[in-house]
Amino acid sequence: MSETVRMTVAQATVEFLARQWSERDGERQKLFAGCFGIFGHGNVAGIGQALLQHETAALDAGTEPGLPYVLARNEQAMVHTSVAYARQRDRLQTWVCTASVGPGSTNMLTGAALATINRLPVLLLPSGTFATRRSAPVLQELETAYAGDVTVNDAFRPLSRFFDRVTRAEQLPSALLAAMRVLTDPAETGAVTVALPQDVQAEAHDWPVELFADRTWHVARPPAEPARITEAAELIRSARRPLVVAGGGVHYSGAEAALQALCEATGIPVGESQAGKGSLPHGHPQEMGAIGSTGTTAANALAREADVVIGIGTRWSDFTTASRTAFQAGEARFVNINIAGFDAGKHAGLSVVADAREALTALTAALDGYAVDDGYRAEQAGLWRDWDARAEAAYHPPAEVTDALADGLLTQGTVIGCVNELSDPRDVVICAAGSMPGDLHKLWRVRDRRGYHVEYGYSCMGYEVPASLGVRLADPTRDVFAMVGDGGYLMMPTELVTAVQEGIKVIVVLVQNHGFHSIGSLSEELGSQRFGTKYRYRDPGTGRLDGDVLPVDLAANARSLGVRVIEVTSRNDLEKAIRQAKEAPGDAGPILIHVQTDPLVHAPDSESWWDVPVSQVADLESTREAYDRYLAHQHGQKAFLAPTTTNPSEGVS
Ligand SMILES: Cc1ncc(C[n+]2csc(CCOP(=O)(O)OP(=O)(O)O)c2C)c(N)n1
Ligand SMILES: [Mg+2]
């Protein structure tokens, strides 16, 4: 019999998690920076007691706890904070999240979906009702009439890349080992859930001591099959107008330099998805910026006529492909370099399953001697000059635009421009939902590979503030600017209190435009007349939400949470506020800059489309007109079904 140590399931979980490491390229780091939590009766005596005991032992020994605990304010938010941390650390490190039974746990579902969709690791420990059922139904228990073993935590199953429920202590080691493997597998990673019933957490067991050995999880860089690289190179050599689409995988793999080398050797231009933005720095000759529905006119013009499209680490979301209208050349073929076979197989592309950096390095070697012609290079340069001038005009709008603004209002482009110009190149901009992500995608000038953090896989309102804590914790040497709309702010300002408590310096730029500018514009485009998107009183005369603007004071709201607030009403004020915020010390806690914008001044058009279905029949003329426009756009959608092959006996002739 091997040596054992007697601990509860919760104590064993905490002691195990405190000793996990990840390693890639020979660099080792703690897999978990800590544990966020909110306690209730489901975890206070289990995981809560274990974390206390863990912290006490460390402090008594004069060391730091291996798994420090941080109190969050909302369970959804603490998952966002963890996921943002993981993204900023290239998926090599994340956090654990513990929540109580019932609502505490189900509050984490949105965060779980966001993590899985964005392929970002987080370990969730929802608490469950009694495994013994001794006291059933306990407070907050679902009670399913047709099945005795269903709990609310089953809702995590479709959202998790690995799910387990530990109903006996003996199951814990296998659950934890499987969870670690999935978290550190770059192709499988996402939300990983280990549900712990409240009684099981507190149960004692004799654990083999080797369970608590330090353990290092290697994060693999699988190379591509050489034959696939040869085929991909052959396809690209046949191209006259090749184009790279860079996704988040470029960043997670640290493949930026390898991508730059490929582009410089071949002259192939790059368009970027939201997660891939910053794959090349702003100003690089092959950098065409954002692509797709929120893309630049430069990248989208090249996409329209591209003959071979090389997707690297992209999920090919409909925003990236402009709902399959971006690539209009009849003969467009795809090469998909992706660590996940699932993504590499999309658009019937040539599937190259590999780590992005490894594959790019091999591909550059295989393309030796190949380059696009001078005409194509000159076209790229011209398109970019034209787009960059439009972006510059959005940063510094002409007098005819600014003079028409109501007193105290700025354009959103001005806000983006001021933050971009006054932040350090290494600072990080954060956003997730509203009109701001699209505008940032088009306009933000990225100067550092980690400088752009827009969550657009789930585009979850409320991500911005909690994410800012995660990004700052991941790298306290950078200032973070969370750009959040009034709608997004109202959904989740909660973690500002956590930032006050922990002295975490985050700069929140709150853009007040009294409602949903983004969905309002979309609604208008689709013939729905901005219905239900304004934060206005219901007008007793019309019976509609088109009365006066609500007397909502979000600056006062933030102040009431202990946040330092700076309210601005001019460009000058805004510049001063950004400088002041930057000068504040590193432990200043949260600073919120409150700015009001005119939602009717738009960012430059992307000359692109996004598929949102319009009613096929309607009484309203506005909807019928929108439906006609919809049909015209839909006409341009491509199926991307033709096999991509270099074998002349297959594919389209
Ligand atoms: C949690 C969540 N609910 C709903 C949506 C749909 N949605 C996308 S943007 C948006 C409005 C955002 O408003 P605001 O934050 O004020 O930004 P603005 O559009 O005004 O720029 C809504 C409701 C979403 N993305 N996330
Ligand atoms: Mg708004």
Side-chain angles (χ1 to χ4, degrees):
M1 277 286 281
S2 67
E3 198 187 332
T4 59
V5 52
R6 192 159 178 79
M7 280 190 253
T8 66
V9 166
Q11 290 158 2
T13 302
V14 167
E15 294 308 320
F16 174 90
L17 296 176
R19 291 171 177 76
Q20 305 306 303
W21 298 76
S22 70
E23 171 277 319
R24 188 173 70 175
D25 303 330
E27 270 180 45
R28 203 171 81 120
Q29 51 273 307
K30 291 292 288 288
L31 179 54
F32 302 107
C35 178
F36 288 110
I38 294 180
F39 297 127
H41 70 277
N43 58 346
V44 68
I47 293 286
Q49 190 280 339
L51 285 166
L52 165 68
Q53 184 169 309
H54 179 74
E55 185 180 281
T56 307
L59 295 179
D60 287 353
T63 58
E64 298 278 319
L67 193 72
Y69 169 69
V70 174
L71 164 59
R73 298 302 182 286
N74 174 304
E75 293 88 354
Q76 181 189 137
M78 72 192 184
V79 184
H80 294 334
T81 304
S82 305
V83 167
Y85 184 99
R87 173 164 167 181
Q88 210 63 21
R89 290 284 178 103
D90 297 333
R91 312 197 292 193
L92 300 170
Q93 279 186 293
T94 185
W95 285 68
V96 183
C97 294
T98 172
S100 188
V101 167
S105 289
T106 53
N107 260 359
M108 297 198 294
L109 289 169
T110 297
L114 183 147
T116 291
I117 284 162
N118 285 288
R119 279 70 159 146
L120 292 167
V122 62
L123 178 62
L124 307 178
L125 303 179
S127 299
T129 45
F130 278 86
T132 60
R133 305 185 190 162
R134 210 165 39 222
S135 315
V138 297
L139 180 66
Q140 303 166 326
E141 182 163 336
L142 179 64
E143 285 196 277
T144 305
Y146 63 86
D149 63 347
V150 171
T151 81
V152 294
N153 289 335
D154 287 289
F156 283 95
R157 289 179 189 270
L159 307 179
S160 302
R161 299 308 309 266
F162 174 78
F163 176 93
D164 205 352
R165 178 184 287 123
V166 176
T167 54
R168 292 183 62 111
E170 293 86 337
Q171 298 166 345
L172 185 70
S174 67
L176 289 176
L177 291 173
M180 299 306 106
R181 187 193 67 74
V182 174
L183 281 170
T184 53
D185 182 322
E188 286 188 47
T189 199
V192 164
T193 305
V194 179
L196 299 170
Q198 62 177 114
D199 51 346
V200 175
Q201 288 181 39
E203 268 172 29
H205 183 74
D206 295 309
W207 309 95
V209 290
E210 58 266 31
L211 180 62
F212 307 105
D214 275 27
R215 218 171 280 266
T216 302
W217 298 86
H218 174 64
V219 179
R221 284 193 181 279
E225 287 175 89
R228 283 314 229 181
I229 292 291
T230 309
E231 269 188 85
E234 207 179 310
L235 207 57
I236 296 166
R237 280 178 189 280
S238 73
R240 284 188 42 255
R241 304 181 62 85
L243 172 71
V244 162
V245 175
V250 172
H251 288 311
Y252 304 142
S253 158
E256 297 88 351
L259 176 63
Q260 193 163 332
L262 175 102
C263 295
E264 286 171 7
T266 61
I268 301 178
V270 175
E272 297 161 336
S273 76
Q274 283 276 14
K277 192 166 155 82
S279 292
L280 291 182
H282 176 84
H284 188 279
Q286 270 79 49
E287 162 71 352
M288 298 292 116
I291 196 162
S293 306
T294 52
T296 68
T297 48
N300 285 341
L302 295 175
R304 265 191 292 281
E305 294 179 41
D307 48 6
V308 171
V309 184
I310 309 148
I312 306 169
T314 173
R315 300 184 302 122
W316 290 122
S317 88
D318 68 330
F319 257 83
T320 305
T321 68
S323 300
R324 302 189 181 217
T325 61
F327 307 104
Q328 283 296 328
E331 71 277 19
R333 288 161 301 170
F334 290 83
V335 175
N336 297 325
I337 297 172
N338 207 296
I339 191 111
F342 173 71
D343 290 316
K346 291 176 178 173
H347 294 346
L350 180 75
S351 161
V352 183
V353 179
D355 171 76
R357 197 186 75 182
E358 295 299 307
L360 279 166
T361 307
L363 190 59
T364 306
L367 283 171
D368 189 31
Y370 167 81
V372 302
D373 65 31
D374 289 348
Y376 192 46
R377 283 179 200 263
E379 190 181 335
Q380 292 168 37
L383 285 166
W384 181 255
R385 256 197 314 278
D386 178 50
W387 169 260
D388 209 39
R390 293 189 211 194
E392 187 61 25
Y395 276 23
H396 299 276
E400 72 250 30
V401 173
T402 50
D403 290 351
L405 294 170
D407 249 11
L409 300 192
L410 300 180
T411 68
Q412 191 151 285
T414 304
V415 177
I416 294 174
C418 286
V419 176
N420 189 276
E421 287 172 357
L422 295 171
S423 55
D424 285 343
R426 292 183 73 257
D427 290 348
V428 186
V429 71
I430 298 162
C431 196
S435 57
M436 193 56 103
D439 290 4
L440 286 169
H441 194 212
K442 290 176 187 172
L443 299 176
W444 187 261
R445 293 168 172 169
V446 186
R447 301 148 291 176
D448 179 275
R449 63 178 287 265
R450 288 201 174 101
Y452 185 84
H453 185 124
V454 176
E455 186 282 296
Y456 217 60
Y458 212 39
S459 185
C460 185
M461 286 168 81
Y463 175 83
E464 301 86 351
V465 169
S468 69
L469 274 68
V471 172
R472 174 74 180 179
L473 286 169
D475 188 350
T477 68
R478 299 168 192 255
D479 273 322
V480 300
F481 288 86
M483 314 287 263
V484 62
D486 52 320
Y489 176 87
L490 275 169
M491 284 237 179
M492 207 166 293
T494 52
E495 298 323 292
L496 288 171
V497 180
T498 306
V500 170
Q501 182 166 47
E502 299 287 343
I504 303 169
K505 183 185 173 191
V506 295
I507 304 167
V508 176
V509 179
L510 168 52
V511 179
Q512 171 62 279
N513 58 18
H514 304 284
F516 305 160
H517 164 38
S518 50
I519 304 301
S521 304
L522 184 63
S523 166
E524 194 162 307
E525 240 174 84
L526 306 179
S528 297
Q529 307 174 13
R530 295 189 173 255
F531 176 69
T533 60
K534 295 176 205 158
Y535 290 173
R536 286 173 179 269
Y537 281 111
R538 190 171 294 284
D539 185 307
T542 63
R544 295 199 146 162
L545 300 179
D546 50 13
D548 283 342
V549 165
L550 302 180
V552 172
D553 185 348
L554 297 180
N557 175 280
R559 233 176 251 122
S560 77
L561 303 177
V563 177
R564 179 177 159 199
V565 175
I566 312 173
E567 290 180 73
V568 305
T569 52
S570 68
R571 182 178 193 118
N572 237 345
D573 279 1
L574 176 60
E575 291 177 354
K576 220 159 51 187
I578 296 167
R579 285 202 187 91
Q580 278 174 7
K582 282 220 41 85
E583 278 160 17
D587 58 356
I591 300 163
L592 183 138
I593 300 172
H594 182 277
V595 52
Q596 303 209 51
T597 58
D598 182 339
L600 299 179
V601 183
H602 297 273
D605 191 29
S606 66
E607 297 174 5
S608 176
W609 181 66
W610 183 40
D611 187 352
V612 180
V614 180
S615 305
Q616 294 185 346
V617 291
D619 296 339
L620 303 171
E621 181 61 29
S622 61
T623 313
R624 287 198 296 270
E625 282 171 13
Y627 186 62
D628 290 342
R629 286 196 299 274
Y630 178 71
L631 287 181
H633 280 297
Q634 211 186 27
H635 199 64
Q637 284 187 298
K638 299 260 178 190
F640 301 138
L641 292 175
T644 301
T645 175
T646 49
N647 181 347
S649 66
E650 291 173 24
V652 251
S653 52

